[in-house]
Amino acid sequence: MNRVAVYSLMISGIIGLSSCSTAAKKVEMEAEVTPPTEQRTLNIERTVEVAYQCLAEQKKQTVRVMYGIEGDQIVAAQLSAAGKITPILLRDLTGTAGNTFRNGPVTWLALSAAAANVDKVNGNMLTVEGKDTIDGKQITVNRVVFEYCKLDSKTTRRLNKEAAKRRAGSLQEKAVNATL
């Protein structure tokens, strides 16, 4: 079992994520990631990787999400697409509809799922909070980076089959090393 202590996700720096602005032009998002105010210790017992086909600027994009599972609960998520990776996003436990994962300005929204079926359910969208200036005033907006994320079941099966082979190989290697 992997023990991941999340006292604070001391993530500094900038995440560059592409997004659409309200004027439908390409905007390079730069969002400073701040440590969450909430402090939790997670016991990630296993992971499940899920692939989605999402829209980004009206083009299909493959997005992969690694979900961290503790018991029968999904407790964390991390997305990767086009060579970029989000910070670790923690499950929002405030009773929001569906599965919501957040870290600072970054939010992944997915349809309701449990650990047992997360690889069989559609996602939804990734947003990044940013600032816009309207009439000379800065306002906070949620920019949609990926939307309409549909499960890519074929790729998801392949990813998890590969992960199972790696785990089996690792267990065989440990067994051989233990007998030496």
Side-chain angles (χ1 to χ4, degrees):
M1 172 180 357
N2 294 329
R3 182 161 180 84
V4 179
V6 184
Y7 296 108
S8 65
L9 298 174
M10 298 304 291
I11 300 168
S12 59
I14 304 293
I15 301 172
L17 295 171
S18 296
S19 176
C20 291
S21 74
T22 54
K25 64 179 181 175
K26 185 175 180 179
V27 173
E28 189 67 22
M29 285 290 303
E30 290 189 352
E32 192 166 326
V33 178
T34 56
T37 56
E38 175 183 4
Q39 295 181 1
R40 292 190 288 190
T41 299
L42 302 178
N43 294 308
I44 305 291
E45 298 166 356
R46 65 187 176 94
T47 59
V48 175
E49 192 166 9
V50 180
Y52 300 98
Q53 288 297 315
C54 303
L55 284 183
E57 299 176 352
Q58 303 303 316
K59 295 178 186 164
K60 276 192 176 182
Q61 171 106 27
T62 298
V63 175
R64 291 168 49 173
V65 181
M66 182 69 70
Y67 290 102
I69 311 294
E70 182 177 341
D72 64 348
Q73 298 294 312
I74 306 166
V75 295
Q78 188 170 35
L79 286 75
S80 65
K84 297 183 190 296
I85 300 174
T86 67
I88 295 170
L89 308 174
L90 299 178
R91 175 88 179 263
D92 183 339
L93 302 173
T94 60
T96 59
N99 292 340
T100 301
F101 302 88
R102 301 179 198 281
N103 183 343
V106 182
T107 300
W108 168 243
L109 302 159
L111 299 184
S112 289
N117 70 342
V118 70
D119 58 345
K120 295 168 184 62
V121 176
N122 288 329
N124 189 354
M125 71 174 72
L126 177 72
T127 63
V128 176
E129 193 175 275
K131 300 281 184 189
D132 268 352
T133 303
I134 297 178
D135 295 329
K137 296 180 183 178
Q138 274 205 335
I139 61 168
T140 301
V141 296
N142 284 320
R143 299 184 193 282
V144 175
V145 180
F146 301 113
E147 61 186 340
Y148 306 114
C149 295
K150 302 290 183 202
L151 177 70
D152 181 340
S153 55
K154 182 178 177 183
T155 303
T156 297
R157 277 193 305 275
R158 182 182 52 80
L159 290 169
N160 288 302
K161 190 181 234 183
E162 290 170 2
K165 284 182 184 178
R166 283 192 303 274
R167 282 191 301 273
S170 175
L171 290 174
Q172 286 176 340
E173 184 178 311
K174 286 179 184 177
V176 168
N177 289 337
T179 59
L180 295 178

